[in-house]
Amino acid sequence: MLVDSHCHIDFPDYADGAAPLLANMRVAGVGHALCVSVDLERFPNVLALAEAHPNIFASVGVHPDHQDCEEPTVERLLDLARHPKVVAIGETGLDYYRLPREAVDWQRERFRTHIRAARQAGKPLIVHTRSAADDTLAIMREEAAGEAGGVMHCFTESWQVARAALDLGFYIAFSGIVTFKSAAALREVARQVPLDRLLVETDSPYLAPVPYRGKRNEPAYVRHVAELIADLRGVPVKAVDEATTENFFRLFGSAKRT
Ligand code: NI
């Protein structure tokens, strides 16, 4: 059984509800999924899914791309993270893809807030980084993010960045991007990450893996990410299932298996 370690099944893309997603997960051998918060306005929907379904977990955090929304404080995140189904803080991090570095002091402050909350809550971080790897790692070191631990989600960086995150005690999660034809360099990174530090995810509704590329993604499709990684590493897919599921429950220690 696999775990989809990062999805957004609370998004309006899933107007037909969670039932078909859960049914497809069962068929694909995907036992659990972590529904990741992107802002506090939508957090109640994330939590409602986790409360309704024993095998869905929640996180709490505000995405670095979300600007016109409630700015989280450490206290606010800690308060929301007290819920037993909230197993992580995030997603958080830095994203200089849309806005230049000089324009986003607020992103760096917000990232620090999340790291402080994660350390105090004793819950791991879900880190998003895009066009900002050096600053992301620098802030993680300055704020002792390793004390909280966490995952570099939807990883698309170099082996050097992966190595630095592994050295901080972080896990590395690969999404459907590894199945894309253009992602040869990323596949090489996915081949090298130690099996006991690897996670798989969909980032649904985005980034559907081949053969669904361009369509709406869903947690069941994490099966295709796992198959590709097993193939790359020359191991049975069962080994990837077992390792990534063990890793998930080790990292997200408050998540209970169903
Ligand atoms: Ni995400």
Side-chain angles (χ1 to χ4, degrees):
M1 294 288 262
L2 282 167
V3 182
D4 180 0
S5 65
H6 190 117
C7 65
H8 302 285
I9 53 174
D10 59 304
F11 281 14
D13 306 72
Y14 304 102
D16 42 347
L21 303 177
L22 291 161
N24 292 342
M25 281 169 63
R26 271 193 297 279
V27 172
V30 179
H32 302 81
L34 172 50
C35 186
V36 174
S37 162
V38 293
D39 60 36
L40 300 182
E41 289 77 1
R42 286 192 233 186
F43 174 71
N45 303 328
V46 173
L47 194 58
L49 278 165
E51 284 178 334
H53 307 288
N55 59 334
I56 306 292
F57 306 110
S59 74
V60 63
V62 182
H63 195 289
D65 283 345
H66 290 229
Q67 199 169 0
D68 298 317
C69 59
E70 181 187 337
E71 191 58 39
T73 61
V74 171
E75 294 67 32
R76 183 94 164 101
L77 290 171
L78 283 174
D79 186 41
L80 297 172
R82 239 171 249 129
H83 191 287
K85 290 296 300 265
V86 174
V87 302
I89 305 294
E91 63 183 283
T92 181
L94 301 177
D95 193 323
Y96 301 160
Y97 182 74
R98 290 175 187 82
L99 291 167
R101 183 185 189 283
E102 306 70 49
V104 288
D105 280 345
W106 57 271
Q107 274 192 10
R108 289 182 287 277
E109 274 314 303
R110 184 187 285 175
F111 187 27
R112 291 180 192 276
T113 297
H114 281 80
I115 298 173
R116 290 168 194 170
R119 288 177 54 193
Q120 286 187 43
K123 290 186 176 175
L125 287 154
I126 300 168
V127 176
H128 167 110
T129 184
R130 190 172 186 195
S131 310
D134 290 348
D135 279 7
T136 302
L137 289 167
I139 290 176
M140 286 166 68
R141 290 193 191 98
E142 283 169 24
E143 298 288 339
E147 282 182 18
V151 57
M152 306 303 284
H153 116 82
C154 196
F155 194 79
T156 53
E157 303 290 338
S158 65
W159 170 247
Q160 213 180 359
V161 174
R163 186 68 264 171
L166 290 166
D167 288 345
L168 284 168
F170 274 62
Y171 289 67
I172 309 287
F174 293 95
S175 69
I177 294 177
V178 289
T179 70
F180 295 177
K181 206 171 175 205
S182 56
L186 186 63
R187 278 190 284 280
E188 190 48 34
V189 178
R191 205 178 57 74
Q192 288 185 69
V193 169
L195 196 54
D196 63 356
R197 302 289 283 284
L198 193 90
L199 294 174
V200 287
E201 65 167 77
T202 59
D203 208 10
S204 304
Y206 312 117
L207 301 171
V210 172
Y212 301 105
R213 190 168 179 184
K215 304 221 165 67
R216 185 189 75 171
N217 202 358
E218 61 173 85
Y221 297 169
V222 80
R223 171 59 57 201
H224 297 276
V225 178
E227 281 172 357
L228 187 281
I229 288 176
D231 212 44
L232 275 180
R233 302 176 69 107
V235 299
V237 71
K238 191 168 177 283
V240 172
D241 279 43
E242 287 173 0
T244 56
T245 297
E246 285 301 315
N247 296 345
F248 179 88
F249 286 102
R250 189 186 319 115
L251 175 60
F252 301 103
S254 62
K256 304 263 181 298
R257 280 179 208 245
T258 57

